[in-house]
């Protein structure tokens, strides 16, 4: 079975044929989100990293938004529904949809491959001189050491800025890859989008589409550098962004697209640089996959008992209980005090356990006062 690249579906849209649908010809998709008439087209199936994706049918149709007629694309059946596929032209909407489907296929195939690799490495292996699998007792410390080693081995070592295909709007994506070429979803970042509401943004506001307009500009390098710093990575010593040449087919396609590129486009369309994890990132891995920290000295009349890997049940003299949890984070660990054992009612958060433990006597006194008031009423 031949493994192709997800972007192959982009190359095939040039000759994509459409089938007209109307309310009377029996081809119209079911569902209120589709226009009363439009066009049906198929995106080819392909295989990525051993994961097969079937051919899928999509519908392109017009809608009216604020008095303007726009084209949208939605999948006919199935679970995936491409987003961001709105355009003033039918071909533009199709291009946006194809780019989104290609990216989703690539993410799905990469995730499946990584999961298969982890499952294979965790499988039992036959003991030496025996055909039967042997189960070996592993201590908590050994398990933590193995997990930490696997996390260090899976750290990205290469950063890539890849320009989007011209027909999909000329955006750019930052991708952090391991030596094997795999990428976690959190390490695929659209440089020219502000992201979901509430997500941390660069204070300089570098997420605007105007920093690229389809060209590989200095603004993209600045945006990528900010994201690398936020994620705990830095450029390897003595390295710089350099052009990266893809497959011969991909390069030929980019050459064909050259007339469609915006004015002032600067090559290359893909650049890469070697990266390394910062000292802060390595320290975070030590905390995240190492033993839980020790609690400070407890106030008088208070006791603590482990209730999970990084959780403690706190008991005060009058038998009232709280839950304390610890969560390692890049940029500052977080301790949380809960009022219930299911960790659903957070009372307060702090950067140290002692700060929260010191508030428990006052919280207990307040709870007793409220109870006494209710009893008197």
């Amino acid at each position: 079975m031949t493994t192709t690249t997800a972007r192959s579906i982009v190359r095939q849209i040039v000759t994509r044929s459409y089938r007209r649908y109307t309310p009377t010809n029996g081809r119209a998709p079911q569902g209120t989100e589709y226009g009363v008439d439009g066009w049906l087209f198929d995106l080819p199936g392909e295989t990525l990293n051993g994961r097969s994706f079937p051919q899928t049918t999509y519908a392109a149709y017009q809608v009216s938004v604020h008095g303007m007629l726009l084209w949208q694309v939605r999948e006919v059946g199935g679970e995936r529904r491409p987003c961001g596929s709105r355009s003033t032209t039918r071909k533009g909407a199709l291009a946006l949809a194809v780019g989104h489907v290609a990216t989703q296929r690539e993410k799905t195939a990469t995730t499946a491959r990584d999961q298969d690799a982890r499952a294979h490495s965790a499988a039992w292996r036959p003991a030496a001189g025996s055909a039967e699998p042997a189960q070996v007792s592993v201590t908590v410390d050994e398990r933590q050491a193995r997990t930490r080693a696997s996390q260090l081995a899976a750290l990205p070592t290469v950063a890539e800025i890849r320009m989007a295909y011209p027909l999909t709007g000329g955006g750019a994506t930052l991708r952090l890859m391991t030596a094997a070429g795999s990428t976690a979803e959190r390490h695929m970042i659209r440089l020219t989008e502000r992201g979901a509401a509430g997500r941390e943004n660069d204070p300089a506001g570098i997420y605007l589409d105007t920093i690229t307009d389809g060209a590989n500009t200095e603004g993209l390098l600045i945006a990528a550098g900010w994201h690398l710093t936020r994620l705990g990575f830095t450029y390897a010593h003595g390295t710089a962004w350099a052009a990266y040449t893809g497959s011969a087919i991909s390069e030929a396609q980019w050459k064909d697209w050259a007339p469609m590129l915006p004015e002032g486009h600067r090559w290359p369309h893909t650049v890469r640089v070697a990266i390394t994890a910062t000292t802060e990132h390595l320290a975070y891995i030590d905390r995240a996959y190492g033993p839980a920290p020790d609690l400070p000295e407890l106030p008088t009349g208070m006791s603590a008992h482990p209730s999970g890997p990084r959780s403690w049940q706190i008991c005060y003299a009058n038998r009232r209980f709280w839950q304390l949890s610890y969560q390692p984070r890049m940029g500052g660990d977080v301790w949380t005090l809960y009022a219930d054992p299911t960790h659903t009612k957070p009372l307060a958060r702090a950067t140290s356990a002692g700060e929260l433990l010191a508030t428990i006597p006052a919280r207990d006194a307040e709870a007793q006062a409220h109870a006494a008031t209710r009893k008197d009423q």
Side-chain angles (χ1 to χ4, degrees), residues 25-375:
N25 67 6
R27 291 181 175 175
Q30 300 297 319
T32 58
E33 71 269 31
Y34 298 97
V36 295
D37 60 81
W39 300 84
L40 298 175
F41 61 93
D42 297 324
L43 294 188
E46 58 188 339
T47 300
L48 300 173
N49 298 325
R51 176 68 180 269
S52 296
F53 297 92
Q55 177 174 295
T56 311
T57 301
Y58 288 79
Y61 57 95
Q62 277 191 323
V63 295
S64 177
V65 178
H66 302 304
M68 176 182 285
L69 282 178
L70 299 175
W71 280 87
Q72 291 191 163
V73 173
R74 289 290 184 271
E75 184 176 353
V76 179
E79 297 179 358
R80 294 189 309 275
R81 290 183 177 271
C83 60
S85 54
R86 174 184 294 176
S87 173
T88 55
T89 66
R90 185 187 68 189
K91 289 186 177 180
L94 169 60
L96 292 173
V98 170
H100 178 76
V101 171
T103 300
Q104 292 302 312
R105 287 182 177 182
E106 186 179 46
K107 286 183 179 179
T108 301
T110 300
T111 301
R113 180 185 62 187
D114 294 345
Q115 289 176 345
D116 291 343
R118 287 194 294 268
H120 182 268
S121 63
W124 286 353
R125 292 179 174 83
S130 173
E132 295 295 328
Q135 184 176 5
V136 180
S137 176
V138 180
T139 65
V140 173
D141 291 342
E142 290 174 336
R143 187 181 298 109
Q144 289 176 338
R146 292 180 183 179
T147 303
R148 178 181 179 279
S150 66
Q151 291 295 318
L152 291 174
L155 284 175
T157 58
V158 175
E160 174 187 271
I161 298 177
R162 180 184 299 178
M163 303 304 299
Y165 290 86
L167 293 179
T168 62
T173 300
L174 172 65
R175 180 184 178 195
L176 277 58
M177 300 177 291
T178 66
S182 63
T183 301
E185 185 170 355
R186 68 181 183 278
H187 289 157
M188 291 189 69
I189 303 166
R190 288 280 294 178
L191 296 176
T192 50
E193 292 181 357
R194 290 190 179 277
R199 182 178 299 173
E200 181 181 13
N201 286 329
D202 174 46
I206 58 177
Y207 291 87
L208 302 178
D209 289 335
T210 54
I211 69 174
T212 171
D213 286 333
N216 203 333
T217 64
E218 185 67 22
L220 292 180
L221 303 185
I222 296 174
W226 181 83
H227 278 291
L228 288 172
T229 300
R230 180 177 62 86
L231 294 171
F233 294 93
T234 186
Y235 301 128
H237 181 69
T239 62
W241 292 99
Y244 175 78
T245 302
S247 66
I249 296 177
S250 176
E251 295 301 315
Q253 185 65 76
W254 274 97
K255 184 177 181 180
D256 292 341
W257 275 328
M260 295 183 287
L261 298 176
E263 188 70 23
H265 180 90
R266 285 165 43 186
W267 292 88
H269 54 77
T270 303
V271 292
R272 287 185 175 183
V273 67
I275 58 175
T276 58
T278 62
T279 302
E280 179 187 7
H281 194 139
L282 297 177
Y284 158 73
I285 291 179
D286 287 339
R287 298 194 306 275
Y289 302 99
D294 295 328
L295 294 181
E297 184 176 352
L298 301 176
T300 303
M302 188 179 300
S303 62
H305 305 279
S307 58
R310 288 181 171 84
S311 178
W312 296 263
Q313 184 184 67
I314 308 299
C315 180
Y316 199 47
N318 60 2
R319 311 308 300 173
R320 185 170 281 108
F321 294 91
W322 288 266
Q323 293 289 325
L324 180 68
S325 71
Y326 165 73
Q327 184 178 6
R329 287 185 182 176
M330 284 282 296
D333 300 341
V334 176
W335 292 82
T336 306
L337 185 66
Y338 296 89
D340 61 311
T342 57
H343 292 194
T344 57
K345 299 178 181 178
L347 297 174
R349 290 185 172 88
T351 57
S352 68
E355 183 178 344
L356 294 178
L357 293 173
T359 67
I360 288 182
R363 294 179 186 278
D364 178 72
E366 182 180 1
Q368 290 189 74
H370 287 170
T373 301
R374 290 194 301 269
K375 185 177 181 181

